[in-house]
Amino acid sequence: MRGMRAIPRQGSRSALASLTMRHVSSRTLLFFGLAAICVVLLILSSSNRLEPIEGVAMQIGRPFLLTFSGIGRQITNVVNTARDLATLRARNNQLQAVVDTLTIDNLRLKETEAENERLRSLLRFAQLNPNYDFRGGQVIARVISKNPSNYLASITIDLGSEHGLSMGMPVVTERGLVGRIHKVGPMSSTVLLITDPSSGVPALIQRNRLVGVVTGRAGAAPVMEYIPQDAEVTVGDLVITSGLGGEFPKNLVIGQVVEVRQRDYEIFQQAVVRPTVNFDRLEFVLVITNFRPLPGPPDESESVG
Amino acid sequence: MIQRMGQRFRLSHRDLGGFYLATAVLAFAVLVQATVLTRLRLAGNAADLMLVLVVCWSLIRGQTEGILWAFAGGLGLDLAAGLPLGTSSLALMVTCPLTVLGKNSVFPGSLTLPVLLVLLATPAYGWVVLLTKTVLGLPVDWLASTLYVIGPEAVLNMALTFLVYPLLRWLARTLQPGQMAW
C-alpha cells in the first residue's frame, strides 16, 4: 500500500504493472541467485572442500543437539510410559493407580538401569574382542541425532577428530555392525548406517562362507547381493563381514537371512537380511579406532547416502 | 545495476526483526527435526518439520520470505544430516512456487489449502533430493523411495501441518499484522 501511494495518478495502471513486474523479477532473481549458490555449495561440499566450515558448524551445533537429544529421550520415555499405562489399564484396573505412581517414581531409575545395562553389554563385547581398540569418551560414543533426513540413513555421535576418530572407521554395538564414519567434525561425527542405499558391506554367510555384498535399500531391509545361483542360502543363516576390500574388519555380525530371492533368469540370487542392530533404539555405539580402512575409489569418500 | 539491486533488498528494522525471528525458528526446527521428531516414526520415516514450515510460511508471508527460509533452513538441515550442503536448500526452494496456488483462494486461513500444498510439496521435495543424489552419482531406487519414503512422509507432514500452520499464522499476525499474504 505504501508503494501504491507513491504512484502518480496519470498512467497509474502502467505504473502498477511495472511495480508488479519489478516485484516478480526481484523474487525470480532471488530464487535463481540462491539456487546458483546451492549448486556451488553442492559441488564444493561433494568434493569435501567445505569440511572446515562444516566442522565449525557441527561444533557450534553439538551442545544444542545434545540438549535436544536429551529432551527427545524424555519424550520417548513419556510416550512409552503412556503406552505401558494404556495396556495395564486394560489388563488390570485395580493396579492402575499403583502402576501410575510407580512408573513416574521409577522413570529416572529405569532410565539409569537401562543405560547401565547397555554399557555393560558394550563392555562385554569389548572384552570378548580385545584385538580392537574401542573409543568413545574413552570407550563409547553417544548418539545425539538419528536420521534427520529421510533420504540419508545416518546418525550423529558426540565424538570427532579431537577424540581420534577419522573417516571410514567402523562403528558397532554389542549386537553387530552399525556402519562407518562418514563425516568427521572436531567434536562430532556422522555415521552412515548399513541400511542406507549407498552403503555396501562385503559380507559372507557364516555357515558355508559364501561371499556377497550387503547393500541398504530405501524403506526396506538390506539385501545381500552377488550370491551365485547354485549356492545354498537358507532362512536363518547368519551374515557377517568378510573383511574383503579392507573397509570393515572381519567377522562382525551384520544380521540374519529372512528371505531368499532366487530367479532363474538372473545371474545371482539375493538374500534379504534383517540387521541384528535395532537402529531405532541406538543410544550408544562403539567406534573401532585401530582399524584403518584401505582407501576406496575416489567417489567412495564422497559418498553421502 | 548493483545499486538498484541493493535498493531492492535494503533491510528495514522490521526486516531485521523478521531475520532474527526466522533464525530462531529455523534453528529450533532443525534441532527438533534432528532429535525429537526422528523418534516419532511411521513406517520408518519421520515428519519433515522444515518442509512444512517453509510451505506454510510461503503461504502466509509470500514466496520471497519462503525462499529465504528454504535456503537457510535447508543449510541447517544438511549440516545436521550430513548431506552435501545445498541439497535440502535447493529441494525446499523448489516447493515455494507451489504456494502460488493459494493466491486466489476464497477461504483464507482455512487449513485445507496448506494441507493440500504440503501433500504436493512432499514428493516435489523428495524427488529433487533424489535427483541431486543421482547427479552426484549415488545409487537411488526411485520407486522404492517414492513408495516407502515419500508416501509415509507425506502423511506425517500433512498431520504436522494441522499443528504448525495455525502456530505460524498466529506468529505472523502477532508480529507483523499488515504483511499477511494469505
Side-chain angles (χ1 to χ4, degrees), chain A residues 31-41, chain B residues 90 93:
Chain A
F31 182 88
F32 284 107
L34 290 179
I37 293 172
C38 286
V39 172
V40 172
L41 285 174
Chain B
L90 199 61
M93 280 164 59

Side-chain angles (χ1 to χ4, degrees), chain A residues 110-269:
Chain A
K110 279 178 183 171
E111 177 66 17
T112 312
E113 197 182 342
E115 191 170 303
N116 201 1
E117 184 54 39
R118 281 192 296 273
L119 295 174
R120 276 173 197 275
S121 307
L122 287 170
L123 192 62
R124 264 202 306 277
F125 182 69
Q127 282 165 352
L128 288 171
N129 298 269
N131 51 333
Y132 297 134
D133 171 27
F134 298 105
R135 189 178 294 217
Q138 288 312 316
V139 182
I140 297 150
R142 185 186 285 269
V143 177
I144 56 175
S145 154
K146 287 181 212 168
N147 291 334
S149 167
N150 289 329
Y151 302 96
L152 182 78
S154 67
I155 55 170
T156 308
I157 56 175
D158 66 343
L159 299 176
S161 55
E162 287 186 8
H163 306 95
L165 269 59
S166 62
M167 265 207 1
M169 282 181 174
V171 179
V172 298
T173 69
E174 78 283 2
R175 298 177 70 95
L177 184 65
V178 173
R180 62 181 156 177
I181 304 283
H182 151 65
K183 272 190 176 177
V184 189
M187 301 289 284
S188 61
S189 310
T190 309
V191 179
L192 184 71
L193 304 181
I194 57 169
T195 49
D196 190 83
S198 66
S199 163
V201 184
L204 57 82
I205 306 278
Q206 193 186 36
R207 184 172 53 83
N208 51 16
R209 318 307 286 178
L210 275 171
V211 293
V213 176
V214 173
T215 314
R217 285 187 308 164
V223 165
M224 185 169 173
E225 293 175 315
Y226 308 116
I227 306 170
Q229 276 285 10
D230 56 346
E232 189 208 339
V233 185
T234 53
V235 171
D237 278 345
L238 200 62
V239 180
I240 58 174
T241 53
S242 67
L244 294 173
E247 286 181 352
F248 290 95
K250 205 173 172 178
N251 294 335
L252 290 174
V253 178
I254 296 174
Q256 219 173 5
V257 174
V258 288
E259 186 188 341
V260 181
R261 291 176 184 166
Q262 194 171 26
R263 297 183 188 97
D264 292 338
Y265 55 85
E266 286 181 354
I267 304 171
F268 299 105
Q269 55 177 319

